[in-house]
Amino acid sequence: MTGSHGAAVASSTALDGPVRSTPFGALRPVGFNHVRLNADGFLGAWQYRNAAATITHLIDNLETSGVLHNFRRIADREDGVYIGMDFADTDLYKTLEAIGWESGRRGEVVEAAFVDLAVDLIGRTQAEDGYINTRVQGDPLRDRWSWLIWSHELYSAGHLFQAAIALSRGANDTRLLAVAERFAQRILSDLAERDEAYDGHSEVETALVELSRETGNRAYLDFARIQIERRGHGKLPKHPFGADYFGDHQPLDQVDEATGHAVRQLYYMTGVADLFLETGEPRYLDAAERIWDSAYSTKTYLTGGQGSRHFDESFGDPYELPADRAYAETCAGIASFQWNWRMLLATGRSKYAAEMERVLYNTIAASVGLDGCHFFYTNPLQMRTGHRGAQEGSPSERLSWFECACCPPNLARLIASLHTYVATMDDNGVQLHHLTPGVIESAVQSGAARISVHGDYPWSGHLTLHVQGEGAFELAVRIPEWAQGFSVYIDGAETDTMVRDGYLRLRRDWSSSSVVELRFGLHPELVHAHPRVDAVRGAVALVRGPLVYCLEDADQKPGSVLEDLRIDPSEPIDEIDSTAPEVKVALRTEGRLVRPGSDLYAGDGVPWRTDEAATLTAIPYFAWGNRGQGAMRIWIPTNSN
């Protein structure tokens, strides 16, 4: 197999994925091309849909949205003005990153003609001294690095670096890596001695760390550290959103709360976690764990979404989690996934894998339609009847593209690399974090191991693992916190289990192939929010395994208004077949339809409503919005309210 310009793409040698093995990680990623997801599994089907539909859709929109024009405007001196957001270059970079990972997954270069076109165009756009940013280049009113609070120059550079790494590792194509290194050297030369020079939007930090891993150049790692240490001293210009919007309100060692713009905060912490993985300095892990506790104990939605304010796309106060006004940007969900992956590598703690699962199966999965070509920018937990969704920040349905198109290509690059997050290895053996059908091939101390996972997760809690390896090693399988009891059988015999730190740990000689069966209790349940979450007090949500469920107009009694439905917590919850696409298990329970009168407010004793029995049908949140516009809600008032 060959890559662009005749470059061979590795097939048997283990490729590196988005995060290379690190010196201070408790766990190591399995080789990128040594994990394969089954095409008929939930995640595998999503990955194949991403390859078949999403990536092509991105390429088409890079032309029509003006992104490629912006590069031609500089490279070929085309007429016209810059089009789009200041960071529109990253739409191209993230698309190339997705292509790089998809090439590595398939073992052959995909979209080769487009890669040739794009890499050539980027190379010709780059200035002689290495600088590249199409928004700044060609604009006589803009100087380089003069408005880092908003210019996204380093943010855009970070996505260029990650695209270059993906093409290098996945497609064995180093042409863009040469462009990236020239730009990185320009950045270091221009900014290394300027204490106020850090980007208003974090992202370059994690990219610089990975660029250091890819090239062996420690100067990139050192500059990533400089970027993180500079932030928090208030040297960015003052802005009405406040310094915490940019993470510039306190030095890292003093920060104890997740605040500000959610995506900025999460990418910042991803870089901090990467610094720990490379340096082993405890203060970086301490800071990441401290802010993680704030984000996930008081500021995260049931779906894993983060960011409760539309005004500044930010985290709110503790327990400020309105369902209908949830911002929960798709990019924040992806950044959360990336941060938790690094925290999992750093510590081996199951809570980080659990958060990866929650945000993946709910917020991230809901953000893209089942056609792979329509997207949500924000992911609210309620869509009101009659919602006026003309704006792309809170649309009534998924859109094919956005003026601010950061989310679609961000999704594509994550899903193209999704298999690499399933399992890890350490000196003891192999760890399975996500219970998805597929095959994992891993090195262990005694030689090699092969684990084939079969099942219908997340619909079924019954999984079968065919395990074979050379000699003895430990197979660790994460037991989800939602599991309502579980049992384990090895070669048909029930086995005593040892669960430590959230993982079932099976150590034995696997030289003779063995079959491990896991049976989780997987049943629907009602979930209550913390009483300080005022917005949903007195309401409950339906959850089954890793999936959060919602009510959608299409499944309810015709003529009913979704906001008028109440649930009866004392009634059983039945599992039923569903007519909703891609939904294997829907939920049905009983409640009331409470029709209010016309008074906006009413005193005691005023007959302002009627009340009748109603059957409520719920589908997984990820599947909502695929049958046309309509109301939706996750949190359902109880019949006592």
Side-chain angles (χ1 to χ4, degrees):
M1 291 173 289
T2 59
S4 185
H5 290 198
V9 176
S11 57
S12 58
T13 303
L15 302 176
D16 289 313
V19 179
R20 178 172 285 172
S21 292
T22 62
F24 293 97
L27 306 176
R28 303 187 296 275
V30 175
F32 181 83
N33 55 332
H34 286 185
V35 181
R36 297 183 299 280
L37 303 182
N38 291 356
D40 58 354
F42 185 93
L43 298 185
W46 188 359
Q47 194 169 55
Y48 279 80
R49 184 166 61 245
N50 185 68
T54 306
I55 289 176
T56 302
H57 181 75
L58 299 180
I59 291 172
D60 292 344
N61 278 276
L62 291 174
E63 189 67 71
T64 57
S65 67
V67 171
L68 294 180
H69 156 78
N70 291 337
F71 283 89
R72 294 191 190 104
R73 177 174 164 264
I74 305 301
D76 301 330
R77 293 179 172 80
E78 281 190 358
D79 293 335
V81 298
Y82 180 90
I83 299 172
M85 309 296 287
D86 283 3
F87 44 87
D89 291 3
T90 66
D91 297 347
L92 174 57
Y93 299 151
K94 284 182 276 192
T95 300
L96 287 172
E97 183 181 349
I99 291 171
W101 297 135
E102 179 60 24
S103 298
R105 186 184 74 83
R106 264 198 242 175
E108 61 183 4
V109 178
V110 301
E111 302 291 353
F114 176 75
V115 172
D116 285 345
L117 179 153
V119 172
D120 174 71
L121 187 57
I122 294 167
R124 290 188 295 108
T125 300
Q126 187 170 35
E128 289 186 7
D129 66 356
Y131 181 87
I132 181 169
N133 183 289
T134 69
R135 178 65 183 90
V136 175
Q137 290 172 285
D139 186 342
L141 301 180
R142 284 212 177 191
D143 294 327
R144 298 177 186 179
W145 321 123
S146 62
W147 193 236
L148 279 172
I149 186 173
W150 281 120
S151 70
H152 292 78
E153 285 166 272
L154 292 176
Y155 168 86
S156 298
H159 282 296
L160 170 61
F161 300 161
Q162 289 170 322
I165 291 165
L167 287 174
S168 175
R169 293 177 182 174
N172 198 20
D173 185 342
T174 59
R175 291 174 294 164
L176 194 60
L177 188 63
V179 172
E181 282 220 81
R182 286 187 63 212
F183 191 19
Q185 292 295 330
R186 179 76 270 149
I187 290 169
L188 267 59
S189 178
D190 288 352
L191 304 182
E193 304 302 322
R194 289 176 52 183
D195 287 345
E196 82 290 353
Y198 49 100
D199 204 289
H201 197 309
S202 287
E203 206 282 336
V204 74
E205 300 87 349
T206 184
L208 281 165
V209 173
E210 202 62 42
L211 187 63
S212 175
R213 292 172 182 147
E214 177 70 5
T215 63
N217 189 337
R218 297 282 294 187
Y220 304 145
L221 174 65
D222 292 340
F223 193 68
R225 183 202 297 264
I226 287 171
Q227 285 291 292
I228 284 169
E229 298 297 348
R230 283 175 177 171
R231 192 174 304 277
H233 295 277
K235 294 187 178 180
L236 290 176
K238 295 191 182 304
H239 189 274
F241 284 166
D244 61 345
Y245 174 87
F246 307 97
D248 201 32
H249 58 301
Q250 288 177 310
L252 180 64
D253 290 334
Q254 298 175 22
V255 179
D256 59 5
E257 184 178 1
T259 60
H261 186 274
V263 182
R264 285 168 166 83
Q265 173 75 93
L266 294 163
Y267 277 148
Y268 179 31
M269 287 300 103
T270 301
V272 170
D274 265 322
L275 268 188
F276 169 77
L277 287 167
E278 282 300 313
T279 67
E281 291 188 30
R283 58 184 287 262
Y284 291 127
L285 184 58
D286 289 347
E289 289 181 325
R290 197 168 58 243
I291 296 166
W292 191 96
D293 287 341
S294 166
Y296 292 93
S297 65
T298 65
K299 299 188 177 188
T300 298
Y301 283 97
L302 181 64
T303 56
Q306 292 175 317
S308 58
R309 296 179 178 177
H310 278 244
F311 171 66
D312 53 0
E313 304 179 324
S314 73
F315 286 98
D317 297 330
Y319 306 106
E320 181 189 341
L321 295 166
D324 55 342
R325 292 296 294 163
Y327 201 72
E329 184 184 338
T330 296
C331 284
I334 293 166
S336 172
F337 188 90
Q338 293 177 344
W339 179 21
N340 276 285
W341 174 240
R342 288 158 177 81
M343 297 298 285
L344 177 62
L345 293 176
T347 68
R349 294 176 189 156
S350 63
K351 67 180 183 179
Y352 301 119
E355 286 299 338
M356 292 172 71
E357 178 178 79
R358 174 161 64 151
V359 74
L360 179 65
Y361 281 89
N362 296 289
T363 290
I364 298 175
S367 67
V368 57
L370 296 176
D371 64 353
C373 299
H374 289 81
F375 312 90
F376 280 133
Y377 189 99
T378 62
N379 296 278
L381 282 69
Q382 179 178 353
M383 183 70 70
R384 290 187 175 276
T385 301
H387 174 69
R388 296 176 61 190
Q391 300 299 319
E392 67 178 36
S394 58
S396 299
E397 59 185 340
R398 295 179 184 87
L399 304 178
S400 64
W401 201 250
F402 303 92
E403 180 183 0
C404 178
C406 52
C407 298
N410 210 5
L411 271 164
R413 70 180 184 129
L414 173 68
I415 304 309
S417 61
L418 194 55
H419 58 289
T420 197
Y421 302 104
V422 166
T424 56
M425 56 188 180
D426 64 8
D427 291 342
N428 294 317
V430 181
Q431 302 80 40
L432 182 62
H433 305 289
H434 301 292
L435 311 178
T436 186
V439 177
I440 300 126
E441 296 173 335
S442 174
V444 293
Q445 281 194 329
S446 56
R450 187 178 192 276
I451 303 155
S452 181
V453 183
H454 304 271
D456 198 16
Y457 193 85
W459 308 110
S460 169
H462 185 187
L463 286 96
T464 303
L465 285 64
H466 294 266
V467 187
Q468 186 171 17
E470 298 173 354
F473 64 89
E474 180 184 86
L475 172 62
V477 182
R478 184 174 65 88
I479 304 300
E481 294 178 357
W482 50 257
Q484 297 156 339
F486 71 98
S487 55
V488 181
Y489 299 81
I490 299 181
D491 296 327
E494 189 165 5
T495 304
D496 291 336
T497 59
M498 182 183 71
V499 177
R500 187 177 74 250
D501 301 328
Y503 290 84
L504 167 69
R505 299 181 186 272
L506 302 172
R507 184 170 185 85
R508 55 186 286 153
D509 189 329
W510 302 95
S511 299
S512 298
S513 180
S514 292
V515 177
V516 179
E517 289 185 76
L518 293 92
R519 300 176 184 175
F520 298 105
L522 178 55
H523 308 291
E525 60 179 330
L526 294 176
V527 173
H528 299 260
H530 192 285
R532 293 180 190 167
V533 184
D534 302 85
V536 297
R537 186 180 290 130
V540 295
L542 290 161
V543 175
R544 184 180 183 271
L547 299 178
V548 176
Y549 277 66
C550 67
L551 303 184
E552 189 176 19
D553 263 349
D555 298 303
Q556 314 313 318
K557 178 181 178 179
S560 61
V561 176
L562 205 61
E563 288 81 3
D564 296 345
L565 291 172
R566 305 288 185 265
I567 191 171
D568 186 343
S570 67
E571 291 286 340
I573 305 168
D574 298 321
E575 298 178 1
I576 62 170
D577 294 332
S578 174
T579 58
E582 303 297 326
V583 174
K584 294 186 178 182
V585 180
L587 303 179
R588 178 172 291 165
T589 190
E590 300 304 316
R592 310 295 296 180
L593 177 60
V594 181
R595 300 181 188 273
S598 59
D599 295 332
L600 184 58
Y601 304 102
D604 291 340
V606 177
W608 61 298
R609 65 184 185 183
T610 61
D611 190 340
E612 61 188 76
T615 298
L616 281 59
T617 301
I619 64 168
Y621 174 68
F622 80 81
W624 90 273
N626 286 285
R627 294 174 289 179
Q629 294 186 24
M632 175 277 298
R633 73 181 307 160
I634 285 174
W635 291 102
I636 312 165
T638 62
N639 60 353
S640 61
N641 286 270

